[in-house]
Amino acid sequence: MESLRSKISLSLKQEPQLLPSEMAEKFGISELEILQEFPKDTVTIVDGSHAEMLLTEIAGWKTNVTSIMQLGGSIFEVKAILPVGKKSMGYFNLMGQPGQLQGHLKLENISKVCFVSKPFMGKESHYFGFIDNNGNTIFKIYLGRDEQRRLLLPQIKAFKELKEKLAN
């Protein structure tokens, strides 16, 4: 019987445009289970206890990122600077300016954070995936792009440094 890792590897080769969430649906498992089988150079998974620090770091970049929430087959995107958050009343509150992301996160529901480097629409792409206790993605933060759709180099550098720091 073919292993899950080999099925995912084959899927990555045959359908490179598939997102991890689409692969999870295809194989009937959680997105975390998919990401755990990705090649090691494309995914680093860290404990969810780092979520607040990561959100604070990303907000400190003060450059646009793309925050994505996927629910019920719909995808919602906010392309803006991530606002600084603060803890209050059991939530980590993102109180952005108009046009920025706003919301209230239950940090204790984030069990893992995945650093994912996988091409999207044929272009280099990197994102932070915030995963719940069931292995499902709560939201993702993709690195930002300039007017020519190129990734922002300081964000790539910061992403790689954070990944390296937390992986050790």
Side-chain angles (χ1 to χ4, degrees):
M1 187 166 152
E2 193 177 11
S3 74
L4 179 60
R5 178 166 283 152
S6 62
K7 287 179 184 178
I8 290 170
S9 178
L10 183 61
S11 184
L12 285 168
K13 287 179 183 136
Q14 292 179 338
E15 301 176 280
Q17 76 284 0
L18 280 184
L19 298 170
S21 59
E22 293 168 325
M23 294 177 77
E25 188 174 320
K26 175 181 174 179
F27 290 110
I29 58 177
S30 74
E31 194 165 347
L32 178 61
E33 289 172 289
I34 291 291
L35 292 170
Q36 288 171 329
E37 300 301 329
F38 265 44
K40 297 296 178 209
D41 62 332
T42 63
V43 176
T44 298
I45 301 171
V46 301
D47 192 76
S49 61
H50 299 293
E52 182 178 356
M53 180 276 294
L54 288 167
L55 292 166
T56 301
E57 287 282 331
I58 296 165
W61 296 351
K62 301 203 181 301
T63 52
N64 285 355
V65 294
T66 301
S67 300
I68 295 182
M69 283 106 338
Q70 205 168 337
L71 184 63
S74 298
I75 300 171
F76 300 91
E77 296 182 14
V78 176
K79 293 179 182 178
I81 295 169
L82 189 72
V84 174
K86 69 176 185 171
K87 285 184 175 178
S88 179
M89 300 176 61
Y91 289 91
F92 186 71
N93 299 294
L94 298 171
M95 303 305 292
Q97 302 296 316
Q100 287 183 323
L101 185 65
Q102 298 183 30
H104 313 281
L105 302 173
K106 277 282 195 193
L107 290 175
E108 67 262 18
N109 290 347
I110 300 173
S111 68
K112 302 287 182 206
V113 179
C114 300
F115 292 75
V116 181
S117 298
K118 181 187 183 306
F120 180 69
M121 297 183 138
K123 294 185 182 251
E124 177 184 5
S125 184
H126 306 278
Y127 72 85
F128 301 89
F130 295 83
I131 310 290
D132 70 16
N133 295 316
N134 296 318
N136 300 309
T137 300
I138 301 169
F139 66 102
K140 298 173 184 172
I141 299 176
Y142 279 81
L143 302 189
R145 296 185 181 275
D146 65 17
E147 297 79 28
Q148 288 77 41
R149 306 278 307 131
R150 294 179 302 226
L151 288 173
L152 303 173
L153 294 179
Q155 287 188 9
I156 295 172
K157 182 177 186 279
F159 177 88
K160 290 179 178 179
E161 287 173 354
L162 286 167
K163 178 172 69 171
E164 184 70 26
K165 173 182 168 183
L166 295 179
N168 296 324

